[in-house]
Amino acid sequence: MSSPIVCEGLSKRFQRVLAVDRLNLEVPQGSIYALVGPNGAGKTTLIKMLVNVLKPTGGHAQVLGVDSRRLSPREFGLIGYVSENQELPEWMTVDYLMAYLRPFYSTWDQALADELIRDLDLPRGRKLGHLSRGMKMKAALASSLAYRPQLILLDEPFSGLDPLVRDEFIQGLLTRAASATIFVSSHGLHEVESFVSHVGYLDTGRIQFSE
């Protein structure tokens, strides 16, 4: 497969604000790529364009070899997504969430789902609304890894997590997604420097370097 993420001249303008400015980026297959930058740099806007939540106002992006504006259910079934602002149905229990999601993914691996719940120490019968922020993030991670996605997008997943929960999150990610490409945004290099293979720095909507 070619690079899972390729952006060429990608831009997004909100009235007078140019959130992403002619961005060029290529994320290699099998890499763990960290996009680092301050709050407001354009990281979340970029990720939302990659999954067709936002339409670019210039340039284009390819995700898994497909124009991001034309992603089909097949491609979405190959993408895992976890965001710091991700909303989960708080009335569902952990077990109910996993059972609810299972029919949507042909590659769902129930044995892996059970393993993730156990290893991340998630309380199966507790409602999501009663979980701590750290537990909610781990539940979101488990639900995004159980169908073995090829590309995993993580938007500021460590924000507000204590170091122990962050380490458990990272360990769960690395041991269960060894064959996937991982694209993670963060405002602090210290959160990701221990496990990423590539890093890019985004500021004012532009990539300042990518190595």
Side-chain angles (χ1 to χ4, degrees):
M1 178 188 290
S2 60
S3 298
I5 296 175
V6 179
C7 303
E8 296 182 350
L10 193 67
S11 298
K12 180 61 180 179
R13 179 179 292 278
F14 297 98
Q15 296 179 350
R16 295 184 179 180
V17 177
L18 188 58
V20 175
D21 184 9
R22 293 165 291 175
L23 183 144
N24 296 311
L25 175 67
E26 184 168 351
V27 176
Q29 172 74 15
S31 65
I32 304 176
Y33 190 107
L35 185 66
V36 179
N39 292 332
K43 302 186 298 296
T44 295
T45 299
L46 170 59
I47 291 176
K48 286 183 176 180
M49 283 193 286
L50 293 179
V51 292
N52 200 26
V53 172
L54 294 174
K55 301 287 187 184
T57 49
H60 68 276
Q62 282 197 331
V63 178
L64 299 176
V66 177
D67 189 308
S68 63
R69 296 165 297 183
R70 294 178 174 84
L71 293 174
S72 70
R74 177 191 175 278
E75 285 80 45
F76 281 119
L78 301 174
I79 300 171
Y81 174 81
V82 179
S83 167
E84 67 165 328
N85 298 317
Q86 191 162 346
E87 295 185 7
L88 298 173
E90 298 197 341
W91 58 272
M92 288 187 182
T93 63
V94 172
D95 265 351
Y96 195 118
L97 174 67
M98 303 297 264
Y100 172 79
L101 292 173
R102 182 176 181 175
F104 291 98
Y105 299 97
S106 61
T107 55
W108 186 274
D109 185 334
Q110 188 56 44
L112 176 58
D114 292 337
E115 196 174 276
L116 286 162
I117 290 172
R118 182 182 67 249
D119 291 352
L120 293 173
D121 199 25
L122 289 166
R124 289 179 172 272
R126 190 177 302 174
K127 290 184 177 181
L128 296 169
H130 296 163
L131 299 182
S132 66
R133 169 169 168 73
M135 281 291 187
K136 286 181 180 177
M137 293 301 292
K138 289 196 289 184
L141 177 66
S143 68
S144 295
L145 295 182
Y147 51 94
R148 299 187 181 277
Q150 294 180 13
L151 174 64
I152 301 170
L153 303 175
L154 306 173
D155 187 13
E156 298 277 6
F158 311 119
S159 180
L161 299 186
D162 66 60
L164 178 60
V165 173
R166 185 179 68 214
D167 289 347
E168 290 175 345
F169 185 101
I170 293 170
Q171 186 63 31
L173 175 67
L174 297 182
T175 56
R176 299 295 179 266
S179 62
T181 302
I182 300 170
F183 184 77
V184 53
S185 73
S186 174
H187 62 264
L189 184 59
H190 68 281
E191 295 179 334
V192 297
E193 62 183 349
S194 65
F195 68 94
V196 301
S197 61
H198 296 68
V199 63
Y201 184 72
L202 184 71
D203 193 16
T204 60
R206 290 188 174 186
I207 292 285
Q208 306 298 321
F209 68 82
S210 179
E211 299 181 358

Short mmCIF file of all heavy atoms in Angstrom, two decimals, residues 90-116:
data_model
loop_
_atom_site.label_atom_id
_atom_site.label_comp_id
_atom_site.label_asym_id
_atom_site.label_seq_id
_atom_site.Cartn_x
_atom_site.Cartn_y
_atom_site.Cartn_z
N GLU A 90 -23.32 7.77 27.23
CA GLU A 90 -23.04 7.56 28.65
C GLU A 90 -23.99 6.58 29.31
O GLU A 90 -23.69 6.06 30.39
CB GLU A 90 -23.06 8.91 29.37
CG GLU A 90 -21.98 9.86 28.86
CD GLU A 90 -21.70 11.00 29.80
OE1 GLU A 90 -22.55 11.28 30.67
OE2 GLU A 90 -20.62 11.59 29.68
N TRP A 91 -25.12 6.28 28.69
CA TRP A 91 -26.05 5.34 29.29
C TRP A 91 -25.65 3.89 29.01
O TRP A 91 -26.17 2.96 29.63
CB TRP A 91 -27.47 5.59 28.76
CG TRP A 91 -27.58 5.47 27.26
CD1 TRP A 91 -27.38 6.47 26.35
CD2 TRP A 91 -27.89 4.31 26.51
NE1 TRP A 91 -27.55 6.00 25.08
CE2 TRP A 91 -27.87 4.68 25.14
CE3 TRP A 91 -28.21 3.00 26.85
CZ2 TRP A 91 -28.15 3.77 24.12
CZ3 TRP A 91 -28.48 2.09 25.83
CH2 TRP A 91 -28.44 2.47 24.48
N MET A 92 -24.72 3.69 28.07
CA MET A 92 -24.26 2.34 27.77
C MET A 92 -23.20 1.88 28.77
O MET A 92 -22.41 2.69 29.26
CB MET A 92 -23.64 2.28 26.36
CG MET A 92 -24.62 2.38 25.23
SD MET A 92 -23.74 2.09 23.64
CE MET A 92 -25.10 2.32 22.50
N THR A 93 -23.18 0.59 29.05
CA THR A 93 -22.07 0.02 29.80
C THR A 93 -20.92 -0.27 28.81
O THR A 93 -21.11 -0.22 27.59
CB THR A 93 -22.47 -1.29 30.49
OG1 THR A 93 -22.82 -2.25 29.49
CG2 THR A 93 -23.66 -1.07 31.43
N VAL A 94 -19.77 -0.60 29.35
CA VAL A 94 -18.63 -0.96 28.50
C VAL A 94 -18.99 -2.14 27.61
O VAL A 94 -18.75 -2.13 26.40
CB VAL A 94 -17.40 -1.27 29.37
CG1 VAL A 94 -16.28 -1.84 28.49
CG2 VAL A 94 -16.92 -0.02 30.09
N ASP A 95 -19.58 -3.17 28.20
CA ASP A 95 -19.96 -4.35 27.43
C ASP A 95 -20.99 -4.01 26.35
O ASP A 95 -20.92 -4.52 25.22
CB ASP A 95 -20.53 -5.44 28.36
CG ASP A 95 -19.47 -6.43 28.78
OD1 ASP A 95 -18.35 -6.39 28.23
OD2 ASP A 95 -19.75 -7.26 29.67
N TYR A 96 -21.96 -3.17 26.71
CA TYR A 96 -23.01 -2.80 25.75
C TYR A 96 -22.40 -2.03 24.57
O TYR A 96 -22.79 -2.26 23.41
CB TYR A 96 -24.08 -1.96 26.45
CG TYR A 96 -25.38 -1.83 25.68
CD1 TYR A 96 -26.57 -2.32 26.21
CD2 TYR A 96 -25.42 -1.20 24.44
CE1 TYR A 96 -27.76 -2.21 25.51
CE2 TYR A 96 -26.60 -1.08 23.74
CZ TYR A 96 -27.77 -1.58 24.27
OH TYR A 96 -28.95 -1.47 23.58
N LEU A 97 -21.47 -1.14 24.86
CA LEU A 97 -20.82 -0.38 23.79
C LEU A 97 -20.14 -1.32 22.80
O LEU A 97 -20.30 -1.17 21.58
CB LEU A 97 -19.78 0.59 24.38
CG LEU A 97 -18.92 1.34 23.36
CD1 LEU A 97 -19.75 2.33 22.56
CD2 LEU A 97 -17.76 2.05 24.06
N MET A 98 -19.39 -2.27 23.32
CA MET A 98 -18.68 -3.19 22.44
C MET A 98 -19.65 -4.06 21.63
O MET A 98 -19.44 -4.28 20.43
CB MET A 98 -17.73 -4.07 23.26
CG MET A 98 -16.73 -3.27 24.09
SD MET A 98 -15.59 -2.26 23.12
CE MET A 98 -14.19 -3.36 23.03
N ALA A 99 -20.72 -4.52 22.26
CA ALA A 99 -21.71 -5.33 21.56
C ALA A 99 -22.45 -4.51 20.51
O ALA A 99 -22.79 -5.01 19.42
CB ALA A 99 -22.70 -5.93 22.56
N TYR A 100 -22.69 -3.24 20.81
CA TYR A 100 -23.38 -2.35 19.87
C TYR A 100 -22.52 -2.12 18.61
O TYR A 100 -23.03 -2.10 17.49
CB TYR A 100 -23.68 -1.02 20.56
CG TYR A 100 -24.22 0.05 19.63
CD1 TYR A 100 -25.55 0.06 19.24
CD2 TYR A 100 -23.38 1.05 19.15
CE1 TYR A 100 -26.05 1.04 18.38
CE2 TYR A 100 -23.86 2.03 18.29
CZ TYR A 100 -25.20 2.02 17.92
OH TYR A 100 -25.67 2.99 17.07
N LEU A 101 -21.22 -1.95 18.80
CA LEU A 101 -20.34 -1.63 17.69
C LEU A 101 -20.01 -2.85 16.83
O LEU A 101 -19.73 -2.71 15.63
CB LEU A 101 -19.03 -1.02 18.22
CG LEU A 101 -19.14 0.36 18.87
CD1 LEU A 101 -17.80 0.75 19.48
CD2 LEU A 101 -19.57 1.40 17.86
N ARG A 102 -20.04 -4.00 17.41
CA ARG A 102 -19.58 -5.22 16.73
C ARG A 102 -20.20 -5.44 15.34
O ARG A 102 -19.46 -5.72 14.39
CB ARG A 102 -19.84 -6.43 17.63
CG ARG A 102 -19.35 -7.74 17.04
CD ARG A 102 -19.56 -8.88 18.04
NE ARG A 102 -19.09 -10.15 17.49
CZ ARG A 102 -19.07 -11.28 18.17
NH1 ARG A 102 -19.49 -11.31 19.43
NH2 ARG A 102 -18.62 -12.39 17.61
N PRO A 103 -21.51 -5.29 15.14
CA PRO A 103 -22.08 -5.57 13.81
C PRO A 103 -21.64 -4.60 12.71
O PRO A 103 -21.79 -4.90 11.53
CB PRO A 103 -23.59 -5.46 14.05
CG PRO A 103 -23.78 -5.58 15.52
CD PRO A 103 -22.56 -4.99 16.12
N PHE A 104 -21.09 -3.45 13.10
CA PHE A 104 -20.70 -2.46 12.10
C PHE A 104 -19.38 -2.80 11.42
O PHE A 104 -19.04 -2.21 10.39
CB PHE A 104 -20.59 -1.07 12.73
CG PHE A 104 -21.90 -0.48 13.16
CD1 PHE A 104 -22.31 -0.56 14.47
CD2 PHE A 104 -22.73 0.14 12.23
CE1 PHE A 104 -23.53 -0.02 14.87
CE2 PHE A 104 -23.95 0.69 12.62
CZ PHE A 104 -24.35 0.60 13.94
N TYR A 105 -18.62 -3.73 11.98
CA TYR A 105 -17.27 -4.00 11.48
C TYR A 105 -17.11 -5.47 11.16
O TYR A 105 -17.17 -6.33 12.05
CB TYR A 105 -16.23 -3.58 12.53
CG TYR A 105 -16.29 -2.10 12.85
CD1 TYR A 105 -17.00 -1.63 13.96
CD2 TYR A 105 -15.65 -1.17 12.03
CE1 TYR A 105 -17.05 -0.27 14.24
CE2 TYR A 105 -15.71 0.19 12.31
CZ TYR A 105 -16.41 0.63 13.41
OH TYR A 105 -16.47 1.96 13.69
N SER A 106 -16.86 -5.76 9.88
CA SER A 106 -16.71 -7.15 9.46
C SER A 106 -15.45 -7.78 10.03
O SER A 106 -15.35 -9.01 10.10
CB SER A 106 -16.68 -7.22 7.93
OG SER A 106 -15.58 -6.48 7.41
N THR A 107 -14.48 -6.97 10.42
CA THR A 107 -13.23 -7.49 10.95
C THR A 107 -13.20 -7.51 12.48
O THR A 107 -12.13 -7.73 13.07
CB THR A 107 -12.04 -6.64 10.45
OG1 THR A 107 -12.27 -5.26 10.79
CG2 THR A 107 -11.90 -6.76 8.94
N TRP A 108 -14.34 -7.28 13.11
CA TRP A 108 -14.39 -7.25 14.58
C TRP A 108 -13.86 -8.56 15.15
O TRP A 108 -14.25 -9.65 14.73
CB TRP A 108 -15.82 -7.01 15.06
CG TRP A 108 -15.93 -6.82 16.54
CD1 TRP A 108 -16.05 -7.78 17.49
CD2 TRP A 108 -15.93 -5.56 17.24
NE1 TRP A 108 -16.11 -7.22 18.75
CE2 TRP A 108 -16.05 -5.87 18.62
CE3 TRP A 108 -15.85 -4.23 16.84
CZ2 TRP A 108 -16.09 -4.88 19.60
CZ3 TRP A 108 -15.89 -3.25 17.81
CH2 TRP A 108 -16.01 -3.57 19.17
N ASP A 109 -12.97 -8.45 16.12
CA ASP A 109 -12.36 -9.61 16.77
C ASP A 109 -12.80 -9.63 18.23
O ASP A 109 -12.26 -8.89 19.05
CB ASP A 109 -10.84 -9.51 16.64
CG ASP A 109 -10.11 -10.73 17.16
OD1 ASP A 109 -10.66 -11.43 18.03
OD2 ASP A 109 -8.97 -10.98 16.70
N GLN A 110 -13.77 -10.48 18.55
CA GLN A 110 -14.32 -10.48 19.90
C GLN A 110 -13.29 -10.92 20.93
O GLN A 110 -13.27 -10.41 22.05
CB GLN A 110 -15.56 -11.38 19.98
CG GLN A 110 -16.31 -11.28 21.31
CD GLN A 110 -16.74 -9.85 21.63
OE1 GLN A 110 -17.24 -9.14 20.75
NE2 GLN A 110 -16.54 -9.42 22.87
N ALA A 111 -12.42 -11.85 20.54
CA ALA A 111 -11.38 -12.28 21.47
C ALA A 111 -10.45 -11.11 21.80
O ALA A 111 -10.05 -10.92 22.97
CB ALA A 111 -10.58 -13.44 20.87
N LEU A 112 -10.13 -10.32 20.79
CA LEU A 112 -9.30 -9.14 21.02
C LEU A 112 -10.04 -8.11 21.87
O LEU A 112 -9.45 -7.49 22.76
CB LEU A 112 -8.90 -8.51 19.68
CG LEU A 112 -8.11 -7.20 19.75
CD1 LEU A 112 -6.82 -7.38 20.53
CD2 LEU A 112 -7.81 -6.69 18.33
N ALA A 113 -11.33 -7.93 21.62
CA ALA A 113 -12.13 -6.99 22.42
C ALA A 113 -12.11 -7.39 23.90
O ALA A 113 -11.90 -6.55 24.79
CB ALA A 113 -13.57 -6.95 21.90
N ASP A 114 -12.30 -8.68 24.17
CA ASP A 114 -12.28 -9.16 25.55
C ASP A 114 -10.90 -8.96 26.18
O ASP A 114 -10.77 -8.60 27.36
CB ASP A 114 -12.65 -10.64 25.59
CG ASP A 114 -14.10 -10.89 25.23
OD1 ASP A 114 -14.92 -9.97 25.37
OD2 ASP A 114 -14.42 -12.01 24.79
N GLU A 115 -9.87 -9.18 25.37
CA GLU A 115 -8.49 -9.01 25.85
C GLU A 115 -8.22 -7.55 26.19
O GLU A 115 -7.59 -7.24 27.22
CB GLU A 115 -7.54 -9.49 24.75
CG GLU A 115 -6.13 -9.74 25.18
CD GLU A 115 -5.32 -10.33 24.04
OE1 GLU A 115 -5.37 -11.57 23.85
OE2 GLU A 115 -4.66 -9.56 23.32
N LEU A 116 -8.68 -6.64 25.34
CA LEU A 116 -8.49 -5.21 25.59
C LEU A 116 -9.20 -4.76 26.86
O LEU A 116 -8.66 -4.01 27.66
CB LEU A 116 -8.99 -4.41 24.38
CG LEU A 116 -8.11 -4.44 23.14
CD1 LEU A 116 -8.89 -4.01 21.91
CD2 LEU A 116 -6.89 -3.55 23.32
#
